[in-house]
Amino acid sequence: MKIFCWIAFLLMVLIQFGCVQRESETPEKGVSFKLNERRKKTIDSIRYNIQLDIPGQKSEAIKGIETVSFNLNAPDSALVLDFNSDSTHIISIQSEGEEIEFEVANQHIIIEPEALKKGRNTLTIGFIAGDLSLNRSDEYLYTLFVPDRASTCFPLFDQPNLKATYALTLSVPEHWEAVSNGSLKSKTMRSGKSVFQFAETKPISSYLFAFAAGKFFKTQKTLNGRPMTMYYRETDSAKVGRNKDEIFRLHAKSLSWLEEYSGIPYPFEKFDFALIPSFQYGGMEHPGSIFYNESSLFLDENASVNERMARASVIAHESAHMWFGDLVTMDWFNDVWLKEVFANFMAAKIVHPSFPEINHELRFLLAHYPNAYDVDRTAGTNPILQELGNLKNAGTLYGAIIYMKAPIVMRQLERKIGVKLMQESLQEYLKKYAYSNARWDDLIQIIDKKTPLDIADWSKVWVKTPDMPVYHYNDSDVNRLTQNPDSVSSRTWQQPVHFAAIERKNEQFYFPNPDGTGYGYFQMDSVSKASFFETYNEFGHAILSKPVFRGSMLVNIWEGFLRGDGPAPDTLLAQVLSALPKEKDPLLTDYLLGRLQSLWWTFLSDESRSKYQSEVEKVTWDLLNRTADKGIKKSYFRTFKRVALSADAYGKMESLWNGKLVIKDLALSEEDKISLAYELALRASGDVDAILQTQMDSTKNPDRKARMQFVIPSISQDEAKRDAFFESLKKPGNREKEAWVLDGLANLHHPLRAKSAVKYLRPSLDLLQEIQLTGDIFFPTRWTNTTFSGHSTSEVTNIATKFLQEHPDYPYFLKNKILQAVDMPSRAAKLKR
């Protein structure tokens, strides 16, 4: 009996030991879904107090002290903090003032349960901050922690559903400014440095914590009783003065609209924003401290209506995130689309009152549908709601399906259930999950309770499956559009679709999706396509004269062209050239000019370009000079300099660049002059070195000058220098300024240099996984798209195909990025045959 009890005791110990060991296994790199779920169940009420000492030299390390306190309800397994750095960056860890042992492994700090207790725990960590997400320059730095990059800077629980409060103290060089999520409690001097102490934030997710510090100008304004501060680096005071009031006004208008729509006052303590040169995104929604790309908000004197609309939209988008994403955050990053779709969806509503002269249905159509189709037609498309096993791959979820297709789907949902019910459902959603986390299905449940419609079934098709529907005329009933057989068995895309039938000269023409609301490829017959261009913008006909109708048909025709459903590239170019002088709507003009450039460089052969060179230059130059609208004039200028190839056109560009030629109402900014210098250098007809050096010397803004110094080797006439530039990009330190890198890649792969750039394609693909780990969320997509954008031969697509064949287990998300990037070159190669 004693032996039996002893054996039973040993078995119990071994079982318990085994369980602890299994729970204490070293977690994989990143934050796995398993780790996310375990921590969500056992940890809550987190508070961070972080102190950072930022030196004036970017080469010097940033030292920090962090106190993290949290409630632990099950101290039966090791505590895992995320810290994407090596053990040398951890100086010490104390618990309740006592040094404790820890292990650093697989980008985590692991603390055994013996050092913890049930209930409140407080850890004090001395560390050296990692640089990967600090975006350090000589005169400033800023953080960018989305989606899982906070852990590259300091130790924390880096997952969205462990919201926490953050109190930050920054010690910075004496003449620097600083901004963070919390309001400024105090600014003092200590040891010759400025010390900024920020108030504790409301509960936010780790990717939303942020700060910026450096040599920034700042200006303040109070609108509707709300004080706002803008930080910026732009040195052109006239440009700042011309834009600042409108920037403040657009923010105030967006916030007021959102408060009224949501029924919830602005949910955070203060509202500031920083404009940063070469910022990776249009904006990032840190509560209390939004970061923007400076050039997106400080517009040139004769900015186009599209640029002004884009500015209003990005401001509305980031403001909407204060409610959709910041107040209520997705539970796991597979639902990242949820915050983005509502930000885009609300932005489209918000900007309407500010631009009463704009056709907003047309704007929505052109801003969303073409970009969504560019991904959804490819072999690399994906559902809106994607699977995500590890947070380290979350950045690869971002793309046009989230930002462009999802708002279309959300607009369909609103039309399906009604504007009033949509608003009521969103108000309930925001109030129920305020300062917490939610999933898409949580919102669907709220809506389903309010309507007899089966919204969950609708969601399965539109949100949880990929691709786009294809529609054709029914042969037995020409008055009806029919959905083609679908790639997913028994899937029906629930949406109303119809067409317009127009009689002209006793002949019937059919135009599908005339209001532009349907999503998918709507096949058109060749006779109707030709008739559309022949009667383009005929004001005598009620339908033909509608901008939305013209926009929808242009999108249909382009989609058919890419699918090999005619017309030929030369024919379509001629049709676009004939339509441009007849088009007066600025949005459609920009769309046509974009298609002109795509046809010119991607789909026309060298012989066809030579044939149409004179006409293309004449049409764009004449319209540039004749157009009265300053914004449209700028659009024609940009198109002319991109398609110009003749000696005559080169001379005009050079004269515009050096100021010998002035076109009425065409004001050229410093950025325009730099761009002209690049275009002249790419054509290599003059003294390239002298042109670039002259432009460098005349550039006054230090950030633009530094960007030029980086980019110029990519334009060199010397192929060896271009090779050296590409080789330099293999070092992560040379890819820190992602916007600069993309400028250089665009130059390397410009169609005029495409043949010499083929050798960069395979090495670029070899780098992609590293780029995904070291770059920000949009960089892998932009890297692949820019790399392949100047190419249009089968040789190029064969390189990508071979790469994927040699890597059968290549990460799914990155494989999709490659398939998306090579889709256009592949189609171009087929259409050129």
Side-chain angles (χ1 to χ4, degrees):
M1 186 70 179
K2 288 182 179 180
I3 294 174
F4 176 78
C5 291
W6 178 245
I7 292 172
F9 173 75
L10 284 175
L11 285 171
M12 181 178 71
V13 170
L14 287 170
I15 290 169
Q16 289 179 338
F17 179 75
C19 291
V20 171
Q21 285 296 96
R22 284 194 292 274
E23 286 293 317
S24 300
E25 288 176 357
T26 302
E28 64 184 271
K29 290 182 178 180
V31 177
S32 67
F33 185 71
K34 176 183 176 182
L35 176 60
N36 161 80
E37 290 293 283
R38 177 152 60 94
R39 293 197 302 203
K40 184 174 70 171
K41 292 176 182 177
T42 58
I43 300 169
D44 59 54
S45 306
I46 306 167
R47 301 177 71 178
Y48 297 100
N49 189 305
I50 302 166
Q51 302 174 50
L52 295 172
D53 185 8
I54 300 175
Q57 299 297 318
K58 63 175 288 189
S59 58
E60 296 180 29
I62 296 175
K63 295 181 179 179
I65 298 175
E66 167 194 2
T67 300
V68 52
S69 62
F70 52 93
N71 185 63
L72 184 63
N73 60 43
D76 55 357
S77 61
L79 180 78
V80 178
L81 288 137
D82 309 317
F83 189 52
N84 188 354
S85 196
D86 59 56
S87 58
T88 62
H89 280 234
I90 297 294
I91 299 170
S92 68
I93 299 181
Q94 296 181 346
S95 175
E96 313 296 342
E98 297 291 330
E99 293 279 344
I100 60 173
E101 294 185 359
F102 61 91
E103 179 187 358
V104 177
N106 281 352
Q107 303 170 359
H108 300 287
I109 299 171
I110 303 168
I111 299 172
E112 292 302 322
E114 291 77 15
L116 306 166
K117 62 184 180 182
K118 186 174 182 179
R120 200 73 191 163
N121 287 261
T122 300
L123 302 177
T124 301
I125 305 173
F127 64 97
I128 298 172
D131 274 348
L132 186 60
S133 57
L134 288 180
N135 299 282
R136 298 177 72 179
S137 299
D138 291 333
E139 294 187 340
Y140 66 95
L141 64 80
Y142 62 92
T143 62
L144 199 51
F145 291 154
V146 62
D148 64 337
R149 298 302 173 88
S151 61
T152 67
C153 180
F154 63 96
L156 78 164
F157 305 109
D158 201 2
Q159 61 190 65
N161 53 24
L162 288 182
K163 288 193 169 185
T165 62
Y166 294 81
L168 174 68
T169 300
L170 292 178
S171 176
V172 302
E174 181 179 3
H175 300 296
W176 282 24
E177 291 287 347
V179 61
S180 187
N181 308 88
S183 60
L184 182 63
K185 287 178 63 177
S186 67
K187 178 184 176 182
T188 58
M189 294 297 299
R190 185 172 65 210
S191 303
K193 300 185 79 171
S194 295
V195 180
F196 292 80
Q197 185 180 9
F198 297 97
E200 189 174 59
T201 68
K202 300 262 189 167
I204 58 174
S205 295
S206 53
Y207 76 92
L208 295 169
F209 173 57
F211 59 87
K215 293 181 180 178
F216 286 94
F217 303 106
K218 68 177 183 179
T219 183
Q220 298 173 311
K221 197 160 188 173
T222 298
L223 292 174
N224 302 332
R226 179 179 289 111
M228 294 180 275
T229 302
M230 177 173 71
Y231 297 80
Y232 61 95
R233 282 185 51 82
E234 176 58 65
T235 55
D236 186 340
S237 58
K239 190 175 200 176
V240 174
R242 189 170 61 244
N243 284 280
K244 66 177 183 178
D245 287 345
E246 181 66 2
I247 292 171
F248 279 113
R249 188 191 72 80
L250 288 169
H251 277 102
K253 191 174 185 69
S254 295
L255 292 173
S256 295
W257 189 96
L258 286 156
E259 287 181 326
E260 182 177 354
Y261 184 90
S262 67
I264 298 173
Y266 173 67
F268 298 97
E269 183 187 3
K270 58 105 173 178
F271 191 87
D272 295 337
F273 44 95
L275 280 57
I276 297 170
S278 302
F279 187 63
Q280 290 92 319
Y281 322 148
M284 180 60 205
E285 67 268 19
H286 314 120
S289 183
I290 299 174
F291 292 169
Y292 290 105
N293 185 306
E294 194 168 58
S295 63
S296 298
L297 269 60
F298 284 150
L299 302 184
D300 293 336
E301 187 175 350
N302 51 350
S304 70
V305 68
N306 256 345
E307 289 170 324
R308 290 186 284 113
M309 286 280 290
R311 174 175 66 181
S313 294
V314 74
I315 287 172
H317 179 104
E318 303 308 332
S319 299
H321 271 312
M322 301 301 109
W323 285 261
F324 298 96
D326 296 1
L327 177 64
V328 178
T329 310
M330 65 272 161
D331 186 74
W332 182 237
F333 254 89
N334 66 323
D335 261 326
V336 65
W337 75 277
L338 189 54
K339 74 182 182 74
E340 298 303 333
V341 68
F342 282 125
N344 259 8
F345 184 65
M346 296 301 160
K349 291 176 176 289
I350 292 167
V351 299
H352 289 193
S354 297
F355 293 86
E357 75 279 16
I358 295 298
N359 186 317
H360 294 289
E361 287 296 312
L362 175 64
R363 204 260 171 176
F364 187 90
L365 168 70
L366 297 180
H368 293 89
Y369 285 72
N371 291 317
Y373 292 165
D374 280 346
V375 174
D376 233 0
R377 80 171 74 90
T378 74
T381 190
N382 54 263
I384 293 174
L385 178 58
Q386 302 177 67
E387 296 296 323
L388 180 65
N390 192 303
L391 203 57
K392 68 181 180 181
N393 296 319
T396 61
L397 302 181
Y398 288 80
I401 296 301
I402 282 178
Y403 285 95
M404 302 303 171
K405 182 179 180 179
I408 297 169
V409 173
M410 194 58 65
R411 188 172 71 160
Q412 287 189 5
L413 176 59
E414 184 182 59
R415 289 177 172 174
K416 193 177 186 69
I417 67 175
V419 173
K420 186 173 183 292
L421 181 57
M422 184 73 158
Q423 183 177 3
E424 290 174 356
S425 300
L426 290 176
Q427 287 179 340
E428 180 178 336
Y429 166 82
L430 289 171
K431 289 172 183 174
K432 182 176 181 178
Y433 298 103
Y435 301 107
S436 186
N437 302 82
R439 303 167 302 136
W440 164 248
D441 287 342
D442 294 325
L443 176 60
I444 290 299
Q445 287 178 9
I446 290 172
I447 296 173
D448 261 339
K449 291 177 182 178
K450 298 176 182 290
T451 175
L453 299 172
D454 189 348
I455 303 303
D457 184 61
W458 169 89
S459 171
K460 285 178 184 177
V461 173
W462 284 100
V463 177
K464 298 181 179 181
T465 62
D467 304 326
M468 56 197 284
V470 175
Y471 297 94
H472 67 278
Y473 295 111
N474 192 307
D475 293 334
S476 60
D477 182 2
V478 76
N479 294 314
R480 188 161 65 88
L481 287 172
T482 301
Q483 179 187 315
N484 282 12
D486 201 279
S487 59
V488 178
S489 178
S490 303
R491 179 172 62 174
T492 300
W493 300 83
Q494 299 177 38
Q495 63 173 336
V497 293
H498 62 285
F499 65 91
I502 298 174
E503 187 173 326
R504 179 173 174 263
K505 296 181 180 178
N506 297 320
E507 191 172 0
Q508 199 85 352
F509 302 97
Y510 299 94
F511 300 101
N513 198 31
D515 61 359
T517 59
Y519 183 84
Y521 170 44
F522 298 86
Q523 293 177 314
M524 291 177 65
D525 63 88
S526 58
V527 176
S528 294
K529 290 177 186 177
S531 173
F532 169 73
F533 281 110
E534 288 171 8
T535 60
Y536 193 88
N537 206 3
E538 262 193 14
F539 288 95
H541 197 288
I543 293 179
L544 294 176
S545 61
K546 289 183 177 180
V548 170
F549 170 80
R550 298 200 300 279
S552 185
M553 292 312 105
L554 287 171
V555 171
N556 285 348
I557 291 169
W558 181 255
E559 193 62 28
F561 166 73
L562 294 178
R563 292 167 181 261
D565 190 16
D570 296 50
T571 302
L572 186 54
L573 176 72
Q575 290 170 331
V576 169
L577 287 172
S578 70
L580 274 168
K582 302 174 185 177
E583 186 54 71
K584 306 304 177 188
D585 187 287
L587 299 176
L588 286 169
T589 296
D590 277 348
Y591 180 83
L592 285 166
L593 289 173
R595 293 307 178 224
L596 170 62
Q597 293 174 54
S598 295
L599 285 165
W600 187 247
W601 287 119
T602 306
F603 293 95
L604 290 189
S605 64
D606 291 341
E607 293 77 14
S608 292
R609 272 199 296 272
S610 178
K611 175 183 175 182
Y612 283 97
Q613 184 66 56
S614 176
E615 184 180 357
V616 167
E617 290 178 358
K618 184 178 187 305
V619 169
T620 52
W621 181 257
D622 288 348
L623 289 171
L624 162 61
N625 282 273
R626 282 170 25 206
T627 301
D629 183 284
K630 292 181 180 180
I632 299 178
K633 185 180 287 287
K634 197 65 167 285
S635 297
Y636 278 116
F637 159 73
R638 289 171 178 162
T639 299
F640 177 80
K641 70 183 174 66
R642 288 169 185 160
V643 300
L645 287 173
S646 71
D648 176 68
Y650 183 94
K652 289 172 178 172
M653 289 168 60
E654 188 172 30
S655 296
L656 285 169
W657 170 73
N658 60 32
K660 293 179 180 179
L661 175 62
V662 176
I663 296 176
K664 183 183 177 183
D665 293 329
L666 179 66
L668 297 181
S669 66
E670 193 168 77
E671 291 97 326
D672 289 325
K673 291 294 186 73
I674 293 171
S675 177
L676 269 171
Y678 289 172
E679 294 289 354
L680 291 168
L682 282 165
R683 283 149 182 80
S685 295
D687 190 338
V688 170
D689 292 337
I691 289 171
L692 293 174
Q693 188 59 54
T694 300
Q695 184 58 54
M696 177 74 75
D697 294 341
S698 63
T699 298
K700 296 182 175 61
N701 183 281
D703 296 317
R704 286 192 280 273
K705 189 182 287 283
R707 187 169 183 163
M708 276 196 74
Q709 289 172 333
F710 180 89
V711 169
I712 281 176
S714 70
I715 314 173
S716 176
Q717 291 175 277
D718 186 341
E719 189 171 338
K721 290 184 178 179
R722 301 201 299 273
D723 292 346
F725 175 84
F726 179 77
E727 285 298 312
S728 74
L729 299 183
K730 295 180 179 180
K731 297 179 180 178
N734 292 329
R735 300 194 301 264
E736 289 180 353
K737 299 286 188 182
E738 293 177 3
W740 299 8
V741 172
L742 295 171
D743 281 353
L745 281 179
N747 291 329
L748 290 180
H749 294 281
H750 190 281
L752 292 172
R753 301 270 178 84
K755 291 181 180 178
S756 67
V758 170
K759 61 187 172 187
Y760 307 138
L761 296 177
R762 177 57 189 253
S764 293
L765 294 174
D766 291 334
L767 281 170
L768 187 55
Q769 282 186 275
E770 180 185 324
I771 281 166
Q772 187 247 318
L773 294 174
T774 60
D776 285 298
I777 55 176
F778 298 117
F779 198 37
T781 299
R782 290 171 177 170
W783 173 274
T784 52
N785 286 350
T786 306
T787 294
F788 286 94
S789 63
H791 299 274
S792 55
T793 64
S794 57
E795 177 187 10
V796 168
T797 55
N798 289 340
I799 290 172
T801 301
K802 184 179 179 182
F803 175 83
L804 292 175
Q805 288 173 344
E806 292 175 358
H807 298 81
D809 298 322
Y810 199 68
Y812 166 78
F813 298 110
L814 293 181
K815 176 183 178 181
N816 281 350
K817 301 299 180 189
I818 295 171
L819 292 173
Q820 292 165 20
V822 301
D823 182 75
M824 198 66 76
S826 175
R827 294 176 188 275
K830 293 175 183 175
L831 288 169
K832 279 183 174 181
R833 290 175 183 171

